Amino acid sequence: NAGVTQTPKFQVLKTGQSMTLQCAQDMNHEYMSWYRQDPGMGLRLIHYSVGAGITDQGEVPNGYNVSRSTTEDFPLRLLSAAPSQTSVYFCASSYSWAGANVLTFGAGSRLTVL
Amino acid sequence: QQQVKQSPQSLIVQKGGISIINCAYENTAFDYFPWYQQFPGKGPALLIAIRPDVSEKKEGRFTISFNKSAKQFSLHIMDSQPGDSATYFCAPITETSGSRLTFGEGTQLTVNP
């Protein structure tokens, strides 16, 4: 199994440009989420989904949109990139949103906004 | 509101030494206490976890100790190896938050050969 696959691995954007970070999982996981990782701040939850068609905001949702049309895919959209969105983004999934579950993370997407 | 605080931010130990990383939390509803390990260029991965009904759990060289009254749990790495060099995160969970993990700031561990 591939697990959680993120594309692209690296991306450079100019301020104001838009882009989509892709995330796909092949484990039939119910729960998917996006985190951003910044130095000294750990991982912060951006958006999450408890199933197809259901999404909700996390700790730092501003500037990001998500949708979940299938169980497998959970893309993260930046509508108008800002330098403050320079970060490493991780997609993660788990079998269920409830209870103590192990999150499986992708390898990350490093985004630089100039 | 900072619910989870890790210390130290960075740690350097010699091969064969003991590495100790601490996690202090505020939310007494947390009921599952995992540690994640992250190597450079990779996503975090679950290393070891403990439930509050036990005070210690050991898996190989890795041990979690849990102090409910102090609202702290710690990761101990015995006989530390250069291959343990990574960033470690605590991410306690409540039953209701489930997979919506709140991560500590991370501890960068370097084990010198």
Side-chain angles (χ1 to χ4, degrees), chain A residues 31 33 35 37-38 40-45 48 56-57 59 90 94-108, chain B residues 1 6 9 31-32 34 36 38 41-46 51 87 89 93-106:
Chain A
Y31 176 88
S33 56
Y35 285 86
Q37 183 174 24
D38 302 292
M41 301 188 74
L43 290 93
R44 293 180 293 169
L45 182 62
Y48 65 96
D56 206 345
Q57 297 181 351
E59 179 186 356
F90 289 97
S94 67
Y95 175 74
S96 172
W97 72 270
N101 298 294
V102 176
L103 281 184
T104 300
F105 282 83
Chain B
Q1 179 184 356
Q6 260 183 258
Q9 287 188 327
D31 56 9
Y32 187 65
Y36 280 76
Q38 182 183 29
K42 304 292 185 182
L46 180 69
R51 293 192 181 275
T87 301
F89 296 96
I93 297 172
T94 67
E95 175 115 15
T96 54
S97 67
S99 294
R100 291 173 292 161
L101 300 187
T102 298
F103 284 84
E105 305 96 331

Side-chain angles (χ1 to χ4, degrees), chain A residues 23-96:
Chain A
C23 176
Q25 52 92 8
D26 61 359
M27 299 172 284
N28 200 32
H29 280 174
E30 174 183 271
Y31 176 88
M32 296 185 74
S33 56
W34 278 101
Y35 285 86
R36 61 177 289 173
Q37 183 174 24
D38 302 292
M41 301 188 74
L43 290 93
R44 293 180 293 169
L45 182 62
I46 303 171
H47 285 285
Y48 65 96
S49 170
V50 299
I54 306 170
T55 64
D56 206 345
Q57 297 181 351
E59 179 186 356
V60 288
N62 292 340
Y64 307 96
N65 281 350
V66 293
S67 60
R68 183 111 178 256
S69 57
T70 67
T71 299
E72 295 79 17
D73 301 299
F74 191 45
L76 179 71
R77 298 182 183 85
L78 286 72
L79 298 179
S80 179
S84 61
Q85 294 178 303
T86 294
S87 187
V88 182
Y89 292 85
F90 289 97
C91 180
S93 71
S94 67
Y95 175 74
S96 172

Side-chain angles (χ1 to χ4, degrees), chain B residues 3-78:
Chain B
Q3 294 195 56
V4 178
K5 182 119 180 108
Q6 260 183 258
S7 61
Q9 287 188 327
S10 63
L11 180 62
I12 300 174
V13 301
Q14 292 299 120
K15 179 181 176 181
I18 301 173
S19 304
I20 302 175
I21 304 171
N22 300 300
C23 187
Y25 61 92
E26 298 172 0
N27 189 346
T28 55
F30 286 139
D31 56 9
Y32 187 65
F33 300 87
W35 285 96
Y36 280 76
Q37 180 187 53
Q38 182 183 29
F39 293 107
K42 304 292 185 182
L46 180 69
L47 177 65
I48 188 172
I50 196 170
R51 293 192 181 275
D53 53 345
V54 297
S55 60
E56 186 175 284
K57 181 177 180 180
K58 183 176 181 179
E59 292 183 358
R61 295 184 294 107
F62 300 91
T63 300
I64 291 183
S65 60
F66 178 69
N67 187 330
K68 187 173 182 178
S69 61
K71 294 189 288 184
Q72 291 184 347
F73 63 110
S74 301
L75 175 67
H76 297 238
I77 306 174
M78 311 300 289

